[in-house]
């Protein structure tokens, strides 16, 4: 599974390029919330030293804010730009594609040097001069093939590079329980805020996310569990021969749940899993998200959504599905659903507004 899943994630990230509504108490918050411990507990005025932990719990200590940062892909780059630490980013892998970053940070993002169109080559990363590397996924170098070999811990140390992982994605596959809220994503933002000395901005970003998701939760308070529609995330760009399902450890599971729906593959304990079309037919979802990746323009995005819908309407195995027959399609891009970031909260609003237009009046 991992080779296909990781290749799927590579494609997903490449087109980012080229995963009170957060009060659930589920394990989604474990990584981000417990990953960083600093005096003041991460409040806006917290001081160094700052400790962060990787997925295995191994801690890294920062005595001061990093000065030269490299990001593994556009999602961690986006977080740093939003935190106001973008001027310290000296390079990225999986660079943001045209039109994929929010307008207010797009220009700054376009100026960041590209160290790798996909995974940054080992030698280039180690020789970058960075003092911090932010990894969105665990062991991207382990994908094999053209992805290359990842540096060892000893090589990172010799190059003077410390690492921070986005727990909501890097640790997703091994999370101890289903992810049903965005506390893991919020924890990542706060952790990066502490490491970069931008905690005040991190707190503001998280507060805005909580406000948006909280409004949706209030609006859907009267929707009983048995009224939640079944929802299938159709990753069109991962290929149509064999669908790729998002499991209950993936950020998308939290987004779908918070939007008032029920992930039809929420019984899958993991982040991604290849399934069969027979499996999808057996689930017979009420709604299907046409999860295409951003093409860089409204016209090209519309064409991609149209192509995804046409496939489902024409494909013998899916044309009889309830969602297809009723035209219950959600046109929301895959990056803002599966890749951790502040826009996950906007996606919750968009999906909820589509499914429950009478209850959720506003959508971003």
């Amino acid at each position: 599974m991992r080779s296909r899943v990781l290749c799927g994630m590579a494609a997903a990230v490449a087109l980012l390029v080229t995963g009170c509504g957060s009060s659930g108490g589920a394990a989604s918050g474990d990584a981000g919330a417990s990953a960083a411990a600093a005096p003041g507990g991460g409040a806006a005025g917290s001081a160094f030293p700052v400790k962060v932990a990787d997925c295995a719990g191994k801690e890294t200590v920062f005595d001061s804010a990093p000065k030269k940062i490299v990001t593994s892909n556009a999602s961690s780059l986006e977080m740093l730009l939003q935190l106001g630490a973008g001027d310290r980013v000296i390079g990225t892998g999986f660079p943001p594609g045209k039109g994929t970053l929010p307008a207010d940070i797009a220009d700054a993002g376009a100026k960041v040097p590209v160290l790798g169109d996909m995974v940054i080559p080992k030698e280039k990363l180690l020789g970058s001069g960075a003092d911090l590397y932010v990894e969105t996924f665990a062991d991207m170098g382990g994908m094999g093939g053209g992805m290359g070999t990842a540096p060892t811990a000893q090589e990172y140390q010799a190059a003077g590079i410390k690492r921070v992982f986005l727990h909501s994605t890097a640790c997703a596959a091994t999370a101890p329980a289903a992810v049903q809220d965005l506390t893991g994503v919020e924890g990542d933002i706060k952790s990066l805020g502490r490491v970069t000395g931008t905690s005040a901005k991190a707190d503001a970003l998280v507060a805005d996310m909580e406000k948006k998701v909280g409004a949706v939760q209030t609006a859907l308070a009267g929707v009983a569990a048995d009224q939640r529609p079944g929802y299938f995330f159709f990753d069109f760009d991962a290929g149509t021969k064999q669908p790729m399902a998002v499991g209950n450890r993936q950020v998308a599971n939290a987004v779908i749940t918070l939007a008032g729906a029920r992930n039809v593959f929420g019984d899958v304990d993991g982040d991604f899993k290849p399934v069969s079309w027979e499996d999808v037919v057996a689930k017979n979802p009420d709604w299907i998200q046409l999860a295409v990746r951003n093409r860089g323009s409204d016209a090209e995005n519309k064409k991609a959504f149209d192509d995804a819908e046409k496939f489902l309407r024409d494909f013998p195995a899916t044309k009889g599905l309830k969602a297809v027959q009723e035209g219950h399609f959600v046109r929301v891009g895959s990056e803002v659903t599966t890749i951790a970031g502040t826009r996950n909260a906007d996606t919750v609003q968009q999906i909820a507004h589509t499914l429950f237009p009478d209850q959720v009046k506003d959508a971003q």
Side-chain angles (χ1 to χ4, degrees), residues 55-308:
C55 298
K58 181 179 178 181
E59 289 187 336
T60 298
V61 179
F62 290 84
D63 293 318
S64 60
K67 296 180 174 62
K68 295 182 178 180
I69 306 171
V70 169
T71 56
S72 67
N73 77 346
S75 60
S76 47
L77 170 61
E78 180 174 329
M79 286 187 184
L80 289 168
L81 291 169
Q82 291 176 322
L83 287 168
D87 58 340
R88 288 178 256 167
V89 181
I90 62 169
T92 189
F94 286 105
K98 177 184 175 182
T100 58
L101 287 176
D104 60 334
I105 58 173
D107 288 344
K111 295 175 183 177
V112 174
V114 176
L115 301 184
D117 289 333
M118 297 181 75
V119 174
I120 300 171
K122 173 181 174 178
E123 294 76 14
K124 188 170 288 189
L125 174 57
L126 293 175
S128 65
D131 53 3
L132 173 64
Y133 180 50
V134 184
E135 295 196 60
T136 301
F137 295 109
D139 192 18
M140 289 287 279
M143 291 182 182
M147 296 299 178
T149 303
T152 64
Q154 292 77 16
E155 288 172 326
Y156 277 118
Q157 184 175 7
I161 302 175
K162 294 182 177 180
R163 288 188 291 168
V164 167
F165 292 85
L166 297 189
H167 283 244
S168 56
T169 47
C171 310
T174 56
V179 179
Q180 296 183 327
D181 58 44
L182 296 179
T183 53
V185 178
E186 294 165 358
D188 284 333
I189 294 169
K190 288 192 173 187
S191 181
L192 281 181
R194 286 190 286 268
V195 168
T196 59
T198 59
S199 284
K201 181 61 176 177
D203 290 344
L205 291 172
V206 168
D208 185 58
M209 291 177 66
E210 291 177 337
K211 180 180 179 181
K212 291 174 180 177
V213 176
V216 172
Q217 298 305 283
T218 299
L220 298 181
V223 179
D226 60 0
Q227 293 179 308
R228 286 175 170 259
Y231 193 96
F232 173 52
F233 178 92
F234 173 39
D235 192 346
F236 180 61
D237 292 307
T240 57
K241 184 176 181 180
Q242 182 177 29
M244 182 70 69
V246 292
N248 59 26
R249 267 53 166 188
Q250 224 287 321
V251 171
N253 189 72
V255 171
I256 293 167
T257 301
L258 291 169
R262 175 180 50 82
N263 178 11
V264 293
F265 288 102
D267 56 348
V268 172
D269 293 332
D271 48 4
F272 295 93
K273 180 183 179 181
V275 294
S276 67
W277 283 116
E278 288 78 7
D279 294 329
V280 176
V281 170
K283 301 290 187 181
N284 198 18
D286 300 292
W287 287 86
I288 298 176
Q289 180 173 338
L290 306 175
V292 303
R293 286 153 203 152
N294 197 309
R295 266 53 170 177
S297 73
D298 290 342
E300 291 176 359
N301 288 337
K302 181 181 183 302
K303 182 181 183 305
F305 284 126
D306 289 344
D307 290 344

